[in-house]
Amino acid sequence: MVQLTSHSASVSVEGGGTAEFAAARREDETAPRGRRTDSDFPRHLVHRSDAEDVFPTGWTPQTDTQFSVSARWPHAHRFFAPVSGRYQDPLLIAETMRQTTMLLGHAAFGVPVGDQFVMWELAYVCEPDQLLLGEAPWDITVDVSCSRIRRRGRSIGSMHVELLLHRLGTVLSRGGGRISCTSAKVYDRLRGDRQGVIGAPIPLLPAVAPAEVGRIDERDVVLSPGPRRNVWRLRLDTGHPTLFARPNDHVPGILLLEAARQAAVAVTPGHDFLPASVKTDFLRYVELDRPCWIEARSVPAADRTATGVHVSATQDGEPVFSCVLESPDLRHDAAGEQAGGVAGNRGSLPGDRQNELS
């Protein structure tokens, strides 16, 4: 499991156009500001402090359990950088799913901003051809359906979410996840002995060569050389502006997803890997101050022309994270473009993937 953490004061938000939402926006504008986006969206509702890292721009309820969320992706982001110079980073999908879920938890379901979200499962599948870079920025619509909602007083205890991301009438991705919510008081009881690690110095381990894991800047590398081939130690830079946007008492989920992606890149010949399909289980909190080991191995992919990689993480001898990623053959795509256009559509998104998490 991974906590989607918040340390903000509680704010009631009931809808995208309400006075409460406007008040939340005004309150957020008084917070320290980094680089601004086109929106003054209240950042604390998606647990981000820097406007550059906030992707939702608004939301509209359709029913009590169905919503439409607008989002904007940058053409180039300091961390979610283009892949192979041609594709939007598919991990933008995962981060947009994460922010969308927290936004609706607070704004639509009454989860106090001081409470904690825990994500147990996250999966998506996308069409790589629809991620080819073009004009900027990208305006995205996220259709969200919430189910198996377990109430806890005026808030929620848990729910499943299914999300459909589309742009200009074309589906980009389908995905879903399962979350639970823990009150601040209960969380303090569960994790109180770990609060002392917040802000404590964590040794920065040596990085593997950035090119081996699909990165340019060493600061974005989250793997350190391990004791044997295809095994690495998780590398934590708690000063990273995106991966550690807020003080935390454990390893953030997006960092674990990035570790899985980097491990998949490292074991792929040519280091060309686009995580077009991801299915993740968060099993336990990953502690900041104890070694966490990342291991990758090749596995068969649903499409025999694709590359599949299974990545697991262990800490103190216990499994803490598991992820299966699949990538199309990017060399084939590049050859298709050079031959006279983008490679053909790979077909509709698999129907069974739509209900994977339901």
Side-chain angles (χ1 to χ4, degrees), residues 121-185:
E121 301 167 0
L122 183 147
Y124 69 78
V125 58
C126 70
E127 276 289 359
D129 293 347
Q130 303 305 326
L131 295 181
L132 287 167
L133 290 170
E135 72 278 8
W138 284 31
D139 290 313
I140 310 294
T141 300
V142 187
D143 295 332
V144 186
S145 177
C146 304
S147 63
R148 282 179 271 181
I149 302 168
R150 182 172 60 83
R151 299 283 179 178
R152 190 192 69 213
R154 295 184 177 181
S155 183
I156 59 172
S158 62
M159 69 178 179
H160 286 66
V161 290
E162 295 182 6
L163 304 97
L164 177 72
L165 282 69
H166 53 97
R167 173 177 178 260
L168 302 176
T170 301
V171 172
L172 300 178
S173 173
R174 291 184 175 93
R178 177 170 65 94
I179 66 164
S180 61
C181 300
T182 304
S183 70
K185 182 181 292 187

Side-chain angles (χ1 to χ4, degrees), residues 6 8-9 11-33 36-51 53-59 70 99-100 102-104 106-107 113 246:
S6 168
S8 303
V11 177
S12 173
V13 180
E14 298 178 358
T18 63
E20 290 86 351
F21 188 88
R25 175 178 295 154
R26 288 194 298 273
E27 176 180 321
D28 191 67
E29 287 173 347
T30 66
R33 184 176 297 274
R36 295 189 55 159
T37 64
D38 292 337
S39 171
D40 289 323
F41 192 85
R43 301 186 294 279
H44 59 272
L45 296 183
V46 296
H47 303 183
R48 285 302 194 189
S49 57
D50 191 332
D53 295 330
V54 176
F55 302 128
T57 57
W59 70 284
S70 57
Q99 293 187 17
T100 294
M102 290 188 297
L103 164 65
L104 295 177
H106 293 312
V113 177
R246 291 172 178 262

